[in-house]
Amino acid sequence: MAKVLWVEKQIDYEPQGVMSMAAVLKEAGHDVQLTIAAQENPVEFAKSYQPDIIGYSMMTGSQHYYFKLNRAIKQALNGNKPMSVFGGPHATFFPDIIHEPGVDGVCVGEGEGPMVDLANSLDKGGLDPNIPNWWFDIDGEIVKNPVRPLIRKLGDLPMPDRELIYSKHAVTSTSPIKHFMASRGCPYNCTYCFNHAWYQIYTREKRGYQRSVESVIEEVNWVRERYPLEQVVFLDDLFIIFVDWLEEFAEKFSKEVGLPFFANVRSNLITPEKVALLKKAGANTVSMGIEAGNDRLRNDLLKRKMSRETIIESGRMLHEAGINLTATNILALPTGSLEDDIDTMRLNAEAKVKYAHAFLFQPYPATELGEFTKQNGHMAGSFEDIGAIAWDSSILVRNDKEKMQMENLQRWFAIGVEFPWMEPLIRLAIKAPRNKVFDTLYWWIHKLFKGWAITHRVHPIKITPKVLWTNAKHFMQMEA
């Protein structure tokens, strides 16, 4: 039996990949533990647990934090010499992090099979260097293995190991909102997304595949029997690709579960038929990417391939069906302007968006738009300057005045969508200088309005004062 320790900086909501890998590892007979740096000392936990494998799942922007923490843990466990392995989006697209001090293995792509094979190998007394999906540093020699095929029969995987998270993180376990996944993959090639790079790794693979409706219902009901659950949140990139699956889901989920849910949709896939199916299934809120109001930015730069009229019409259909719509938007795009961002705010209002998320563009490496930004001189600094959150500051080259106003607009954006008449006032407010006073004030305005919108519209659930206080405190403390 191998001992595997997952290390997380903080828990925002259930990490689906970690839970799935923990489940297959336990099914294979291995021991799995979790340490959360935000609530305990991971170095001390590792010293007590003495793992054989230390695992990290990273997004771009968080890698330096985990590299530093990993070195501290390995130094404390010098006598044990566990393997430190890294996965997640950043590791998948930048496996050259294998050269980073303290990194023993990098998992490229899906991690369930690779993690089990690695644990089995170590349990048998030694490392097999030829495990698909792994890059290894073996005494200074780098071994690069090809990837195995994607997992197609998602229902064959064991149920995600939620107890790993819930036993350590009370906020998540007691929350009446819990997160699930019913599919993997997306058929689209938006330039700001890693999706196209993913399918350069997994060539000739089908884009988008579902779990069976039965397995989704089984997992939701399993959670509801053991933990508070009033709203289901599906984290799938795109929930409405396959009409036949959605028809079956609408019929069975409404009868066998009967809980309201949240899911991601896409404007040009919204039809009266799909809206009716979402309503029948119990969707109370959906989210779609609007991203940019300007047609050139949205369709040429971002390759969203949808018209302004389509976005407005899909919002109207959802509104008339009584389904709340949230939207994601990207501000401070390369070749975009402050007026473009304000136009995006107006488009959200026209589409009857009930809460508008706004993010400052981050030129993530390995994305088409990230590379465009770098090659055309739009980026100040390098990819290493990208932070772990996408709403603090922009690293793009533009005049200081416009940059400051774009950053301030991010905090006011949702309010401008809710109250379009406030646009003249917002134009004045965003001219305030970036300093501690205004940053703190605008942060509170943004957080309080977002908190209100989430509890009244996005996740309108009945919660006790204790849960409300706990969740509000957690919400205010989260970095992202």
Side-chain angles (χ1 to χ4, degrees):
M1 176 183 71
K3 298 171 70 176
V4 182
L5 176 61
W6 287 107
V7 181
E8 290 285 326
K9 181 180 182 181
Q10 64 180 27
I11 299 292
D12 298 345
Y13 49 80
E14 300 91 332
Q16 302 294 313
V18 169
M19 294 192 306
S20 183
M21 286 183 284
V24 295
L25 284 163
K26 289 184 177 181
E27 185 179 61
H30 303 290
D31 187 72
V32 184
Q33 295 290 327
L34 169 72
T35 182
I36 305 169
Q39 64 186 47
E40 67 185 357
N41 186 328
V43 176
E44 293 302 316
F45 188 93
K47 286 170 66 177
S48 174
Y49 180 55
Q50 292 292 308
D52 302 301
I53 301 172
I54 308 171
Y56 306 87
S57 182
M58 301 189 306
M59 297 286 290
T60 296
S62 67
Q63 69 270 24
H64 298 297
Y65 170 85
Y66 284 115
F67 291 153
K68 182 179 180 180
L69 179 56
N70 177 60
R71 290 193 294 269
I73 293 175
K74 294 201 76 166
Q75 184 177 6
L77 297 177
N78 188 46
N80 183 8
K81 294 185 178 179
M83 280 199 70
S84 292
V85 297
F86 292 75
H90 188 79
T92 290
F93 299 114
F94 302 98
D96 282 335
I97 64 170
I98 191 65
H99 297 288
E100 187 75 21
V103 177
D104 302 308
V106 175
C107 182
V108 177
E110 288 182 331
E112 287 91 350
M115 280 300 297
V116 170
D117 289 349
L118 175 61
N120 288 344
S121 171
L122 296 179
D123 191 36
K124 293 175 182 177
L127 171 64
D128 177 0
N130 302 309
I131 304 174
N133 292 67
W134 282 111
W135 286 27
F136 292 121
D137 182 343
I138 302 176
D139 297 326
E141 180 183 351
I142 306 303
V143 178
K144 304 177 182 180
N145 292 295
V147 297
R148 66 193 74 196
L150 290 170
I151 300 169
R152 287 298 172 194
K153 295 182 179 180
L154 296 176
D156 291 347
L157 291 170
M159 197 175 296
D161 181 18
R162 291 175 177 270
E163 183 62 21
L164 181 76
I165 307 300
Y166 295 158
S167 64
K168 297 280 294 195
H169 199 252
V171 173
T172 305
S173 66
T174 58
S175 172
I177 304 164
K178 295 201 166 50
H179 300 74
F180 301 80
M181 288 196 73
S183 66
R184 292 181 181 179
C186 175
Y188 292 95
N189 286 311
C190 303
T191 58
Y192 52 87
C193 180
F194 285 120
N195 190 50
H196 60 283
W198 178 261
Y199 289 106
Q200 288 173 0
I201 296 171
Y202 288 102
T203 58
R204 300 181 182 178
E205 288 274 14
K206 179 183 175 182
R207 296 190 174 203
Y209 44 106
Q210 303 277 164
R211 291 172 60 185
S212 68
V213 171
E214 289 81 4
S215 69
V216 174
I217 290 174
E218 179 187 10
E219 183 183 356
V220 172
N221 281 333
W222 185 94
V223 172
R224 181 165 59 173
E225 289 168 4
R226 293 163 176 81
Y227 301 95
L229 182 60
E230 294 179 29
Q231 188 192 36
V232 172
V233 174
F234 288 110
L235 296 171
D236 310 40
D237 291 332
L238 193 49
F239 195 75
I240 60 169
I241 300 177
F242 304 108
V243 177
D244 54 348
W245 186 91
L246 191 59
E247 288 174 343
E248 182 185 356
F249 177 83
E251 183 67 28
K252 294 180 178 178
F253 193 85
S254 58
K255 294 178 180 178
E256 299 178 32
V257 178
L259 288 173
F261 69 90
F262 171 104
N264 292 309
V265 300
R266 184 178 166 98
S267 178
N268 61 331
L269 294 182
I270 289 290
T271 63
E273 177 188 11
K274 288 181 178 178
V275 170
L277 290 171
L278 286 167
K279 185 67 176 179
K280 179 181 178 181
N284 66 327
T285 310
V286 298
S287 179
M288 70 182 185
I290 291 179
E291 315 305 4
N294 179 276
D295 290 341
R296 178 188 64 82
L297 293 176
R298 185 176 61 256
N299 295 324
D300 297 338
L301 187 72
L302 303 181
K303 294 186 179 178
R304 295 288 291 166
K305 307 303 181 186
M306 61 184 67
S307 69
R308 191 182 189 98
E309 292 72 26
T310 296
I311 293 170
I312 295 171
E313 176 63 14
S314 60
R316 182 196 62 78
M317 284 190 282
L318 291 163
H319 174 75
E320 291 181 355
I323 299 175
N324 290 325
L325 172 63
T326 70
T328 57
N329 301 273
I330 308 175
L331 310 184
L333 285 164
T335 75
S337 67
L338 174 64
E339 288 304 315
D340 291 325
D341 291 348
I342 290 175
D343 184 41
T344 302
M345 187 172 71
R346 295 192 194 113
L347 177 56
N348 278 252
E350 290 182 71
K352 301 184 183 303
V353 171
K354 300 302 187 293
Y355 184 76
H357 298 271
F359 305 94
L360 294 166
F361 171 67
Q362 302 296 326
Y364 291 117
T367 64
E368 183 178 335
L369 190 53
E371 297 300 329
F372 168 87
T373 304
K374 178 182 177 181
Q375 293 170 9
N376 288 275
H378 295 296
M379 183 166 58
S382 71
F383 290 132
E384 293 298 315
D385 298 311
I386 296 174
I389 57 176
W391 47 56
D392 183 38
S393 61
S394 169
I395 66 169
L396 265 63
V397 174
R398 48 175 41 99
N399 74 70
D400 291 342
K401 180 181 177 181
E402 185 174 54
K403 179 175 180 289
M404 177 193 71
Q405 292 185 55
M406 287 175 162
E407 292 172 350
N408 281 333
L409 180 62
Q410 186 276 329
R411 303 285 170 89
W412 286 96
F413 190 91
I415 295 173
V417 173
E418 180 75 13
F419 306 108
W421 57 267
M422 286 188 64
E423 182 182 318
L425 298 177
I426 290 172
R427 285 180 177 272
L428 290 174
I430 63 177
K431 293 179 181 179
R434 290 293 307 265
N435 57 42
K436 187 174 181 179
V437 173
F438 283 109
D439 283 353
T440 301
L441 175 62
Y442 288 4
W443 182 88
W444 274 103
I445 290 170
H446 167 74
K447 278 281 189 178
L448 290 172
F449 181 75
K450 182 176 182 179
W452 176 86
I454 287 175
T455 55
H456 286 76
R457 294 176 176 174
V458 183
H459 305 305
I461 56 175
K462 296 178 182 178
I463 55 178
T464 65
K466 180 180 178 181
V467 172
L468 178 62
W469 167 251
T470 302
N471 287 350
K473 183 179 178 182
H474 179 61
F475 172 70
M476 290 294 184
Q477 291 173 343
M478 286 192 305
E479 284 193 17

